[in-house]
């Protein structure tokens, strides 16, 4: 399995083909992924364990184990781990381009 370390933790690619990529994101306590959007892909996130504060298009949501959210192409999003343990997210990507180059990063919103 491909594993990539980031400032917020790491991710593992569980499956990939031309149309779909499945990852697990492991977000360390108190950390967040970058505020970002994708031009060519949508994502479906399901929280496997832990709890997080999601910002999706300027709206704030609390997520915990079992919660899911669909993130459309072009929708700005980030999530912060607000728990004490690791936040684990099951991410399913679908779209024409499923690469790490399809990430546009922006400054974190004040509400996070």
């Amino acid at each position: 399995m491909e594993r990539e370390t980031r400032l917020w933790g790491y991710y593992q690619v569980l499956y990939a083909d031309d149309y779909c990529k499945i990852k697990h994101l492991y977000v360390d306590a108190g950390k967040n992924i970058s505020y970002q959007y994708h031009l060519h892909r949508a994502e479906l996130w399901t929280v496997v364990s832990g709890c997080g504060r999601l910002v999706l298009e300027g709206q704030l949501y609390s997520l915990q184990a079992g919660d899911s959210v669909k993130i459309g192409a072009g929708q700005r999003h980030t999530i912060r781990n607000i728990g004490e343990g690791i936040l684990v997210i099951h991410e399913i990507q679908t779209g024409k381009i499923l690469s790490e180059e399809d990430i546009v990063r922006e400054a974190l919103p004040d509400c996070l």
Side-chain angles (χ1 to χ4, degrees), residues 38 48 71 73 105:
H38 313 287
V48 176
I71 302 166
R105 291 180 175 85

Side-chain angles (χ1 to χ4, degrees), residues 8 13-14 17 30 36 39 43 47 54 58 60 70 74 103 111:
W8 45 263
V13 176
L14 305 175
D17 64 26
Q36 59 187 259
L39 298 172
E43 297 175 343
V47 177
L54 170 74
L60 195 59
K70 183 172 181 168
I103 298 176
C111 62

Side-chain angles (χ1 to χ4, degrees), residues 23-61:
K23 292 180 176 180
H24 272 178
L25 310 178
Y26 299 87
V27 183
D28 293 333
K31 301 285 187 170
N32 57 270
I33 67 168
S34 62
Y35 190 52
Q36 59 187 259
Y37 65 93
H38 313 287
L39 298 172
H40 304 283
R41 74 174 186 244
E43 297 175 343
L44 175 63
W45 286 0
T46 300
V47 177
V48 176
S49 64
C51 53
R53 182 175 299 125
L54 170 74
V55 179
L56 179 61
E57 285 297 304
Q59 297 294 312
L60 195 59
Y61 302 92

